[in-house]
Amino acid sequence: MRRAGFGLRSQVIVLSSFLLLLPWLGYEYVWEMEKYLRKGQEKTLVGTTRALATALHERPKLFDSQASFLEQVVKGRDLYAYNINGPIKLDGQFNEWQLYRPLFWSYDQHYLHPANLDHHGNDLSFSHMVGKFERHLYAVFEVQDDHLFYRPANSLSVTRNDHLKIAFQSEVGELKTYIIAPKNDGWITAYDEMDLRPTPQIQGHFQHTAQGYNIELRLPLTMLGKKLGFAIVDWDGKDQTVKTMSTSNLNDLNQLGSVLVPSPEIERIVKGMGHSGSRIWVVDNHHRVLAQSGDIKHADGVWANSLEDAKQSKSWWESIEHTYLHPLYYLILTRPADEFIDETYDNAALEGPHIRAALSGQAHSHWRLTPDKKAVILSAAYPIWIDDQVMGAVIAEETTNGVRSIRNKALEKLFTVILAVMLIGTLTLFFFATRISSRIRRLRDLAEQAIDPQGRVLGDIESSQAGDEIGDLSRSFANIVGRLGGYTHYLENMSSRLSHELRTPVAVVRSSLESLQLDELNTEQKKYVERASEGVSRLNKIITTMSEATRLEQSIAHADRQRFDLTHVMSGCMQGYQFTYPQQAFTLDICKQSIELDGVPEFIAQLLDKIISNALEFATPETPIAVSLSENDKHALLVISNYGPALPEKIGEHIFDSMVSVRTQAMQKQPHLGLGLYIARLICDFHHGKIMARNTEHGVEMSLTLPKI
Amino acid sequence: MKHIAIVEDETAIRENYSEMLSKQGYQVSGYCDRISAELAFTEKLPDLAIVDIGLGDEIDGGFTLCQTLRGLSKTLPIIFLTARDSEIDTVCGLRMGADDYLTKDISLPHLAARIAALFRRMAALEVPVVAENIINRGPLKIDANRMQVSWHDHTIDLTITEFWMVHALAQRPGHVKSRNDLMSDAKIFVDDSTITSHVKRIRKKFIKVDADFNCIDTIYGMGYRWEHS
């Protein structure tokens, strides 16, 4: 009765899948940790900015006094000298400026003087930016001009042609204007507008293009004060209006736009902070960068240093981790990218909520994702105070790569541990379940083997010594089987015990009757005494039959096996039966060759007696009993069949049990206890054979298989 | 007058047998347990003892008593008369030196016949052998009076039942005796397997003397015959 189903083992494995929650828990935990680390990083970064701001408080010299009084700076009018990272070759080609293209400011009709709203850009417009490299201020102009007028070679005037006008406040505070009017492409000379003296400090290059012309120039920062403006003057001929497009009003010092050159002093202070592992900016209150240091690609935050991989040779375990486990983990985790693209900033107007907050006097930090989503950048800003006024802010930026690396490291370790725990846990559970289920299976097998298909108890279950419930179950099984065995034994011995117990009273009755018979009795008395004697001898017969099985069991226990010829025994017996029951027809089919068996021939004869007498009893009158003996490789086959009533369907193998009889009342001519076939089975078992009964079309067939030697 | 002692704890049986044997002209004394029997026997031995194995509380009291009796006399005929018919008890009882082992379902006439036979044998042992009473079947000699059998001049020690069986078989060699025939000849009423074990015991006793003994043939389905090759 086995039902294949969801075994213990599978159940335990399913239960152990709860272990899969471990990585999730671990992940949650590490996530929390990361949050704290980020908080810490935020605080640290704010601390960095505060420290730097502390160095900058109350140092008005560092700040552009001009610009700070402006209500606002206007892009285009107020110029900002961007920091240029490399030397610029003055050649009229803008190769070095390609990086800074987005920072070029375009000047169109709005900057035109005299104003003309119908002005077309092709006629005159320009893009322009100023930059600072080392000690020079560089300026570049990409002018669109459909008619390029060079200064004629012999012209004394510098203004009756297309020219560039430069105006700035000198260091001493006066307005200086310069004109650049090239006679041809190439190096340019700037003339002081006042006295038309060439000014060699201002160098540059003029180069005409398809749309107009390009001008690259530079002037030493030492000449420059706080204000600067440029104007491109388009001369298209004597009759044409001279069009001037300027960054601000170059004629009035007060209206001249300011220029901001990143402050070298602040830069020096900030440079010292460049080792802090963050990118640092100092901005003025107009969001313009006064100084910067550090590179965001290397700004991993304070955690980065602790994570430097020791480049020693790895242990075998680490290399296993590295080769097999990490690829697995990094299907889920992401490594912080070393390469990512941060937005390019317009240093003339750094933006961000943290900067706005800092410029309004609040320290603030802020997270953002790089546009390529590869890194998260943490920015913190802290205001710089001068005379209770916010004059600028210090901004520090770091990527969270450090924290993420720490998190990854933690998760790697955690995953390894969890994997190990899961593996060991699952294996342990699996083995445990296997052991339990195998023990239960063994117990089941034992229990099934303890009782044969006919329900007879075959033997005891070996009770286990284990102290757990299964051991307990096995012990109670053993107990049950023991008791059942005892009971079965009691039942099987019932007949012998009964016969033994009955013998004495029967002997009493018998001897008393015999004593009576010795006396002189009248006929009436004789009749009764005879009847009683008859009854007693029948009782005697019953008692004898009852103990036959027991005696057989005993003699089986002490039997000496011998080799004998089954054919010989069979034919002898059959002759005997034919002689004993002359009225019964037998159809014999007994093979001629001898079949050697190991056992006791007398038992076999006894077995035959039982089966034949059984067949005789059930056989329909005038029908033959068929007896056949054949052999195959290993067994002798003996079949005895008779015509007659069929066996009840339900009785099955129980026909061979002790005290089972299926005789109808009508057949009970003789005492019958159902021991005959039980004896047959005992003998069959002794010879390691099998006996079976089955219904045929017209009757019953008993078949025996006995193993040959 | 021969004196028979019956040691039997079942009063009805003891008295039935006592009365019956008294009618046959024996002097009978009955004992219900081993102690009283032993006390009486130490004073005076009976001529024959009929002993039950289970005596009251003593399961094997009869065996003990038998040993005591054999200690007192080598020749005193002892018959076990018991309800126990197991092979082991039978073998045990005969080893103790009993002359016969009977189950209680034996009829009184049969019992009487045995007792008479035993007394006859006792008497015959005291007189010289009479040649007419000896049946010779080759190496087998049967003295019907003394109830003695010898094989190649070796005496085979047989119980009365066994003797009667050998006697029945050897009287007409070559003739098959069915189990029922043997039963009636041996004046017992038992089942087939008991006869089989009797025959086996007889064979063993002969084989002890002569390893090549094979004169008792089993004819399966029929019975046994004495076949002197």
Side-chain angles (χ1 to χ4, degrees), chain A residues 654-690:
Chain A
H654 288 295
I655 188 87
F656 297 107
D657 286 358
S658 178
M659 294 173 133
V660 172
S661 177
V662 292
R663 285 160 181 76
T664 53
Q665 251 346 87
M667 298 177 71
Q668 299 276 25
K669 294 175 224 131
Q670 284 201 317
H672 207 285
L673 300 164
L675 285 168
L677 290 181
Y678 171 66
I679 286 169
R681 199 200 79 214
L682 281 179
I683 294 170
C684 208
D685 289 348
F686 169 74
H687 288 92
H688 309 298
K690 267 203 204 116

mmCIF file of all heavy atoms in Angstrom, chain A residues 654-690:
data_model
loop_
_atom_site.group_PDB
_atom_site.id
_atom_site.type_symbol
_atom_site.label_atom_id
_atom_site.label_comp_id
_atom_site.label_asym_id
_atom_site.label_seq_id
_atom_site.Cartn_x
_atom_site.Cartn_y
_atom_site.Cartn_z
ATOM 1 N N HIS A 654 -5.789 -17.784 2.837
ATOM 2 C CA HIS A 654 -6.153 -18.192 4.199
ATOM 3 C C HIS A 654 -6.570 -19.640 4.284
ATOM 4 O O HIS A 654 -6.654 -20.208 5.362
ATOM 5 C CB HIS A 654 -7.273 -17.300 4.738
ATOM 6 C CG HIS A 654 -6.798 -15.933 5.057
ATOM 7 N ND1 HIS A 654 -5.890 -15.680 6.050
ATOM 8 C CD2 HIS A 654 -7.075 -14.731 4.489
ATOM 9 C CE1 HIS A 654 -5.633 -14.388 6.090
ATOM 10 N NE2 HIS A 654 -6.339 -13.791 5.145
ATOM 11 N N ILE A 655 -6.831 -20.230 3.116
ATOM 12 C CA ILE A 655 -7.208 -21.641 3.081
ATOM 13 C C ILE A 655 -6.119 -22.494 3.712
ATOM 14 O O ILE A 655 -6.371 -23.577 4.232
ATOM 15 C CB ILE A 655 -7.489 -22.057 1.607
ATOM 16 C CG1 ILE A 655 -8.071 -23.466 1.521
ATOM 17 C CG2 ILE A 655 -6.262 -21.983 0.754
ATOM 18 C CD1 ILE A 655 -9.546 -23.471 1.662
ATOM 19 N N PHE A 656 -4.865 -21.971 3.675
ATOM 20 C CA PHE A 656 -3.744 -22.743 4.220
ATOM 21 C C PHE A 656 -3.446 -22.408 5.679
ATOM 22 O O PHE A 656 -2.430 -22.806 6.206
ATOM 23 C CB PHE A 656 -2.483 -22.503 3.388
ATOM 24 C CG PHE A 656 -2.644 -22.971 1.965
ATOM 25 C CD1 PHE A 656 -2.791 -22.057 0.941
ATOM 26 C CD2 PHE A 656 -2.673 -24.324 1.675
ATOM 27 C CE1 PHE A 656 -2.952 -22.491 -0.359
ATOM 28 C CE2 PHE A 656 -2.833 -24.749 0.367
ATOM 29 C CZ PHE A 656 -2.978 -23.834 -0.653
ATOM 30 N N ASP A 657 -4.318 -21.596 6.287
ATOM 31 C CA ASP A 657 -4.071 -21.248 7.685
ATOM 32 C C ASP A 657 -4.633 -22.310 8.611
ATOM 33 O O ASP A 657 -5.448 -23.139 8.222
ATOM 34 C CB ASP A 657 -4.701 -19.890 8.006
ATOM 35 C CG ASP A 657 -3.888 -18.768 7.396
ATOM 36 O OD1 ASP A 657 -2.854 -19.083 6.778
ATOM 37 O OD2 ASP A 657 -4.297 -17.614 7.523
ATOM 38 N N SER A 658 -4.164 -22.219 9.846
ATOM 39 C CA SER A 658 -4.597 -23.192 10.848
ATOM 40 C C SER A 658 -6.075 -23.010 11.142
ATOM 41 O O SER A 658 -6.564 -21.891 11.252
ATOM 42 C CB SER A 658 -3.784 -22.961 12.122
ATOM 43 O OG SER A 658 -4.211 -23.834 13.107
ATOM 44 N N MET A 659 -6.760 -24.111 11.254
ATOM 45 C CA MET A 659 -8.167 -24.131 11.666
ATOM 46 C C MET A 659 -9.068 -23.351 10.727
ATOM 47 O O MET A 659 -9.974 -22.649 11.157
ATOM 48 C CB MET A 659 -8.315 -23.583 13.078
ATOM 49 C CG MET A 659 -7.651 -24.470 14.089
ATOM 50 S SD MET A 659 -7.653 -23.728 15.673
ATOM 51 C CE MET A 659 -8.195 -25.021 16.689
ATOM 52 N N VAL A 660 -8.783 -23.452 9.434
ATOM 53 C CA VAL A 660 -9.688 -22.846 8.462
ATOM 54 C C VAL A 660 -10.325 -23.974 7.672
ATOM 55 O O VAL A 660 -9.635 -24.832 7.127
ATOM 56 C CB VAL A 660 -8.934 -21.895 7.500
ATOM 57 C CG1 VAL A 660 -9.856 -21.436 6.390
ATOM 58 C CG2 VAL A 660 -8.406 -20.710 8.281
ATOM 59 N N SER A 661 -11.638 -23.946 7.646
ATOM 60 C CA SER A 661 -12.334 -24.982 6.893
ATOM 61 C C SER A 661 -13.470 -24.323 6.148
ATOM 62 O O SER A 661 -14.154 -23.464 6.682
ATOM 63 C CB SER A 661 -12.868 -26.034 7.854
ATOM 64 O OG SER A 661 -13.591 -26.988 7.126
ATOM 65 N N VAL A 662 -13.632 -24.727 4.874
ATOM 66 C CA VAL A 662 -14.705 -24.101 4.098
ATOM 67 C C VAL A 662 -15.783 -25.132 3.756
ATOM 68 O O VAL A 662 -16.465 -25.019 2.768
ATOM 69 C CB VAL A 662 -14.158 -23.462 2.795
ATOM 70 C CG1 VAL A 662 -13.292 -22.278 3.144
ATOM 71 C CG2 VAL A 662 -13.392 -24.469 1.971
ATOM 72 N N ARG A 663 -15.853 -26.149 4.599
ATOM 73 C CA ARG A 663 -16.837 -27.192 4.316
ATOM 74 C C ARG A 663 -18.236 -26.723 4.691
ATOM 75 O O ARG A 663 -18.411 -26.029 5.686
ATOM 76 C CB ARG A 663 -16.496 -28.455 5.121
ATOM 77 C CG ARG A 663 -15.322 -29.186 4.527
ATOM 78 C CD ARG A 663 -14.688 -30.111 5.520
ATOM 79 N NE ARG A 663 -13.540 -30.784 4.905
ATOM 80 C CZ ARG A 663 -12.378 -30.186 4.696
ATOM 81 N NH1 ARG A 663 -12.206 -28.941 5.043
ATOM 82 N NH2 ARG A 663 -11.394 -30.857 4.124
ATOM 83 N N THR A 664 -19.171 -27.148 3.899
ATOM 84 C CA THR A 664 -20.562 -26.865 4.260
ATOM 85 C C THR A 664 -20.980 -27.848 5.342
ATOM 86 O O THR A 664 -20.343 -28.883 5.539
ATOM 87 C CB THR A 664 -21.464 -27.045 3.024
ATOM 88 O OG1 THR A 664 -21.205 -28.355 2.497
ATOM 89 C CG2 THR A 664 -21.178 -26.015 1.971
ATOM 90 N N GLN A 665 -22.010 -27.507 6.022
ATOM 91 C CA GLN A 665 -22.494 -28.380 7.085
ATOM 92 C C GLN A 665 -22.706 -29.790 6.557
ATOM 93 O O GLN A 665 -22.411 -30.770 7.212
ATOM 94 C CB GLN A 665 -23.852 -27.865 7.592
ATOM 95 C CG GLN A 665 -23.896 -27.230 8.974
ATOM 96 C CD GLN A 665 -22.700 -27.444 9.879
ATOM 97 O OE1 GLN A 665 -21.763 -26.690 9.807
ATOM 98 N NE2 GLN A 665 -22.733 -28.468 10.718
ATOM 99 N N ALA A 666 -23.220 -29.858 5.301
ATOM 100 C CA ALA A 666 -23.572 -31.172 4.735
ATOM 101 C C ALA A 666 -22.358 -32.073 4.597
ATOM 102 O O ALA A 666 -22.457 -33.298 4.639
ATOM 103 C CB ALA A 666 -24.228 -30.979 3.375
ATOM 104 N N MET A 667 -21.200 -31.443 4.426
ATOM 105 C CA MET A 667 -20.004 -32.254 4.197
ATOM 106 C C MET A 667 -19.365 -32.741 5.481
ATOM 107 O O MET A 667 -18.423 -33.513 5.451
ATOM 108 C CB MET A 667 -18.976 -31.446 3.406
ATOM 109 C CG MET A 667 -19.489 -31.058 2.039
ATOM 110 S SD MET A 667 -18.297 -30.071 1.207
ATOM 111 C CE MET A 667 -17.060 -31.287 0.869
ATOM 112 N N GLN A 668 -19.843 -32.264 6.591
ATOM 113 C CA GLN A 668 -19.188 -32.583 7.859
ATOM 114 C C GLN A 668 -19.518 -33.998 8.323
ATOM 115 O O GLN A 668 -20.104 -34.206 9.384
ATOM 116 C CB GLN A 668 -19.634 -31.585 8.950
ATOM 117 C CG GLN A 668 -19.282 -30.144 8.648
ATOM 118 C CD GLN A 668 -17.869 -29.790 9.053
ATOM 119 O OE1 GLN A 668 -16.988 -30.655 9.127
ATOM 120 N NE2 GLN A 668 -17.643 -28.534 9.302
ATOM 121 N N LYS A 669 -19.168 -34.951 7.484
ATOM 122 C CA LYS A 669 -19.419 -36.336 7.904
ATOM 123 C C LYS A 669 -18.428 -36.688 9.002
ATOM 124 O O LYS A 669 -18.733 -37.410 9.941
ATOM 125 C CB LYS A 669 -19.216 -37.294 6.720
ATOM 126 C CG LYS A 669 -20.226 -37.101 5.619
ATOM 127 C CD LYS A 669 -19.884 -37.989 4.435
ATOM 128 C CE LYS A 669 -20.038 -37.206 3.155
ATOM 129 N NZ LYS A 669 -18.989 -37.255 2.221
ATOM 130 N N GLN A 670 -17.234 -36.182 8.820
ATOM 131 C CA GLN A 670 -16.166 -36.512 9.765
ATOM 132 C C GLN A 670 -15.748 -35.246 10.477
ATOM 133 O O GLN A 670 -15.936 -34.140 9.961
ATOM 134 C CB GLN A 670 -14.973 -37.038 8.966
ATOM 135 C CG GLN A 670 -15.177 -38.445 8.488
ATOM 136 C CD GLN A 670 -13.824 -39.054 8.174
ATOM 137 O OE1 GLN A 670 -12.985 -38.415 7.584
ATOM 138 N NE2 GLN A 670 -13.633 -40.294 8.567
ATOM 139 N N PRO A 671 -15.175 -35.403 11.652
ATOM 140 C CA PRO A 671 -14.699 -34.176 12.312
ATOM 141 C C PRO A 671 -13.645 -33.507 11.446
ATOM 142 O O PRO A 671 -12.756 -34.193 10.923
ATOM 143 C CB PRO A 671 -14.100 -34.695 13.617
ATOM 144 C CG PRO A 671 -13.796 -36.123 13.367
ATOM 145 C CD PRO A 671 -14.851 -36.597 12.412
ATOM 146 N N HIS A 672 -13.780 -32.222 11.276
ATOM 147 C CA HIS A 672 -12.761 -31.545 10.477
ATOM 148 C C HIS A 672 -12.388 -30.214 11.086
ATOM 149 O O HIS A 672 -13.239 -29.431 11.425
ATOM 150 C CB HIS A 672 -13.232 -31.350 9.036
ATOM 151 C CG HIS A 672 -12.051 -31.279 8.126
ATOM 152 N ND1 HIS A 672 -11.269 -30.175 8.070
ATOM 153 C CD2 HIS A 672 -11.507 -32.202 7.323
ATOM 154 C CE1 HIS A 672 -10.275 -30.404 7.233
ATOM 155 N NE2 HIS A 672 -10.405 -31.631 6.767
ATOM 156 N N LEU A 673 -11.112 -30.023 11.223
ATOM 157 C CA LEU A 673 -10.657 -28.817 11.922
ATOM 158 C C LEU A 673 -9.924 -27.841 11.026
ATOM 159 O O LEU A 673 -9.430 -26.837 11.470
ATOM 160 C CB LEU A 673 -9.718 -29.228 13.067
ATOM 161 C CG LEU A 673 -10.368 -30.130 14.071
ATOM 162 C CD1 LEU A 673 -9.322 -30.797 14.915
ATOM 163 C CD2 LEU A 673 -11.302 -29.326 14.942
ATOM 164 N N GLY A 674 -9.853 -28.185 9.764
ATOM 165 C CA GLY A 674 -9.158 -27.275 8.858
ATOM 166 C C GLY A 674 -7.676 -27.249 9.109
ATOM 167 O O GLY A 674 -7.025 -26.223 8.981
ATOM 168 N N LEU A 675 -7.138 -28.404 9.521
ATOM 169 C CA LEU A 675 -5.700 -28.448 9.781
ATOM 170 C C LEU A 675 -4.931 -29.079 8.629
ATOM 171 O O LEU A 675 -3.727 -28.938 8.528
ATOM 172 C CB LEU A 675 -5.412 -29.216 11.064
ATOM 173 C CG LEU A 675 -5.751 -28.441 12.327
ATOM 174 C CD1 LEU A 675 -5.723 -29.371 13.522
ATOM 175 C CD2 LEU A 675 -4.788 -27.298 12.524
ATOM 176 N N GLY A 676 -5.666 -29.765 7.737
ATOM 177 C CA GLY A 676 -5.012 -30.520 6.666
ATOM 178 C C GLY A 676 -4.136 -29.650 5.792
ATOM 179 O O GLY A 676 -2.941 -29.905 5.641
ATOM 180 N N LEU A 677 -4.740 -28.582 5.250
ATOM 181 C CA LEU A 677 -3.974 -27.727 4.348
ATOM 182 C C LEU A 677 -2.948 -26.901 5.110
ATOM 183 O O LEU A 677 -1.937 -26.504 4.555
ATOM 184 C CB LEU A 677 -4.913 -26.826 3.547
ATOM 185 C CG LEU A 677 -5.743 -27.586 2.516
ATOM 186 C CD1 LEU A 677 -6.627 -26.632 1.742
ATOM 187 C CD2 LEU A 677 -4.862 -28.373 1.554
ATOM 188 N N TYR A 678 -3.210 -26.678 6.386
ATOM 189 C CA TYR A 678 -2.220 -25.976 7.214
ATOM 190 C C TYR A 678 -0.972 -26.830 7.329
ATOM 191 O O TYR A 678 0.152 -26.346 7.191
ATOM 192 C CB TYR A 678 -2.827 -25.686 8.590
ATOM 193 C CG TYR A 678 -1.843 -25.155 9.606
ATOM 194 C CD1 TYR A 678 -1.249 -23.910 9.448
ATOM 195 C CD2 TYR A 678 -1.517 -25.900 10.735
ATOM 196 C CE1 TYR A 678 -0.361 -23.432 10.383
ATOM 197 C CE2 TYR A 678 -0.629 -25.423 11.678
ATOM 198 C CZ TYR A 678 -0.048 -24.181 11.496
ATOM 199 O OH TYR A 678 0.835 -23.694 12.418
ATOM 200 N N ILE A 679 -1.187 -28.128 7.535
ATOM 201 C CA ILE A 679 -0.061 -29.060 7.584
ATOM 202 C C ILE A 679 0.665 -29.070 6.246
ATOM 203 O O ILE A 679 1.896 -29.023 6.183
ATOM 204 C CB ILE A 679 -0.565 -30.469 7.964
ATOM 205 C CG1 ILE A 679 -0.905 -30.471 9.463
ATOM 206 C CG2 ILE A 679 0.475 -31.540 7.644
ATOM 207 C CD1 ILE A 679 -1.650 -31.684 9.929
ATOM 208 N N ALA A 680 -0.123 -29.077 5.165
ATOM 209 C CA ALA A 680 0.479 -29.043 3.830
ATOM 210 C C ALA A 680 1.373 -27.815 3.691
ATOM 211 O O ALA A 680 2.488 -27.886 3.174
ATOM 212 C CB ALA A 680 -0.613 -29.020 2.766
ATOM 213 N N ARG A 681 0.869 -26.692 4.177
ATOM 214 C CA ARG A 681 1.669 -25.462 4.062
ATOM 215 C C ARG A 681 2.938 -25.542 4.902
ATOM 216 O O ARG A 681 4.009 -25.129 4.466
ATOM 217 C CB ARG A 681 0.853 -24.253 4.498
ATOM 218 C CG ARG A 681 1.440 -22.947 3.969
ATOM 219 C CD ARG A 681 0.967 -21.775 4.757
ATOM 220 N NE ARG A 681 1.704 -21.666 6.012
ATOM 221 C CZ ARG A 681 1.160 -21.227 7.126
ATOM 222 N NH1 ARG A 681 -0.107 -20.908 7.159
ATOM 223 N NH2 ARG A 681 1.890 -21.127 8.226
ATOM 224 N N LEU A 682 2.827 -26.068 6.109
ATOM 225 C CA LEU A 682 4.005 -26.212 6.970
ATOM 226 C C LEU A 682 5.086 -27.005 6.259
ATOM 227 O O LEU A 682 6.259 -26.636 6.237
ATOM 228 C CB LEU A 682 3.632 -26.940 8.265
ATOM 229 C CG LEU A 682 2.944 -26.131 9.347
ATOM 230 C CD1 LEU A 682 2.641 -27.030 10.542
ATOM 231 C CD2 LEU A 682 3.830 -24.972 9.787
ATOM 232 N N ILE A 683 4.664 -28.122 5.658
ATOM 233 C CA ILE A 683 5.624 -29.000 4.973
ATOM 234 C C ILE A 683 6.225 -28.270 3.774
ATOM 235 O O ILE A 683 7.428 -28.339 3.519
ATOM 236 C CB ILE A 683 4.947 -30.312 4.551
ATOM 237 C CG1 ILE A 683 4.563 -31.087 5.813
ATOM 238 C CG2 ILE A 683 5.858 -31.144 3.656
ATOM 239 C CD1 ILE A 683 3.679 -32.272 5.575
ATOM 240 N N CYS A 684 5.356 -27.538 3.077
ATOM 241 C CA CYS A 684 5.813 -26.786 1.912
ATOM 242 C C CYS A 684 6.849 -25.751 2.333
ATOM 243 O O CYS A 684 7.883 -25.592 1.691
ATOM 244 C CB CYS A 684 4.609 -26.105 1.293
ATOM 245 S SG CYS A 684 4.818 -25.872 -0.430
ATOM 246 N N ASP A 685 6.570 -25.030 3.404
ATOM 247 C CA ASP A 685 7.515 -24.036 3.908
ATOM 248 C C ASP A 685 8.831 -24.691 4.299
ATOM 249 O O ASP A 685 9.901 -24.155 4.043
ATOM 250 C CB ASP A 685 6.938 -23.312 5.132
ATOM 251 C CG ASP A 685 5.807 -22.369 4.749
ATOM 252 O OD1 ASP A 685 5.648 -22.133 3.530
ATOM 253 O OD2 ASP A 685 5.092 -21.887 5.656
ATOM 254 N N PHE A 686 8.727 -25.868 4.918
ATOM 255 C CA PHE A 686 9.934 -26.585 5.328
ATOM 256 C C PHE A 686 10.812 -26.910 4.124
ATOM 257 O O PHE A 686 12.039 -26.873 4.196
ATOM 258 C CB PHE A 686 9.531 -27.878 6.058
ATOM 259 C CG PHE A 686 10.674 -28.818 6.306
ATOM 260 C CD1 PHE A 686 11.610 -28.548 7.287
ATOM 261 C CD2 PHE A 686 10.813 -29.979 5.545
ATOM 262 C CE1 PHE A 686 12.662 -29.408 7.510
ATOM 263 C CE2 PHE A 686 11.866 -30.842 5.766
ATOM 264 C CZ PHE A 686 12.795 -30.559 6.752
ATOM 265 N N HIS A 687 10.179 -27.172 2.994
ATOM 266 C CA HIS A 687 10.944 -27.474 1.770
ATOM 267 C C HIS A 687 11.219 -26.223 0.939
ATOM 268 O O HIS A 687 11.635 -26.334 -0.203
ATOM 269 C CB HIS A 687 10.190 -28.492 0.910
ATOM 270 C CG HIS A 687 10.213 -29.870 1.494
ATOM 271 N ND1 HIS A 687 9.237 -30.341 2.341
ATOM 272 C CD2 HIS A 687 11.110 -30.878 1.385
ATOM 273 C CE1 HIS A 687 9.512 -31.572 2.710
ATOM 274 N NE2 HIS A 687 10.656 -31.926 2.152
ATOM 275 N N HIS A 688 10.974 -25.042 1.533
ATOM 276 C CA HIS A 688 11.169 -23.741 0.854
ATOM 277 C C HIS A 688 10.346 -23.647 -0.420
ATOM 278 O O HIS A 688 10.771 -23.031 -1.394
ATOM 279 C CB HIS A 688 12.649 -23.494 0.516
ATOM 280 C CG HIS A 688 13.543 -23.694 1.684
ATOM 281 N ND1 HIS A 688 13.460 -22.933 2.824
ATOM 282 C CD2 HIS A 688 14.519 -24.604 1.907
ATOM 283 C CE1 HIS A 688 14.357 -23.354 3.691
ATOM 284 N NE2 HIS A 688 15.007 -24.371 3.168
ATOM 285 N N GLY A 689 9.192 -24.255 -0.412
ATOM 286 C CA GLY A 689 8.354 -24.229 -1.613
ATOM 287 C C GLY A 689 7.189 -23.289 -1.435
ATOM 288 O O GLY A 689 7.095 -22.563 -0.451
ATOM 289 N N LYS A 690 6.332 -23.287 -2.452
ATOM 290 C CA LYS A 690 5.142 -22.428 -2.396
ATOM 291 C C LYS A 690 3.938 -23.279 -2.698
ATOM 292 O O LYS A 690 3.980 -24.149 -3.566
ATOM 293 C CB LYS A 690 5.249 -21.359 -3.497
ATOM 294 C CG LYS A 690 5.874 -20.085 -3.017
ATOM 295 C CD LYS A 690 5.435 -18.953 -3.935
ATOM 296 C CE LYS A 690 6.430 -17.820 -3.882
ATOM 297 N NZ LYS A 690 7.092 -17.584 -5.152
#
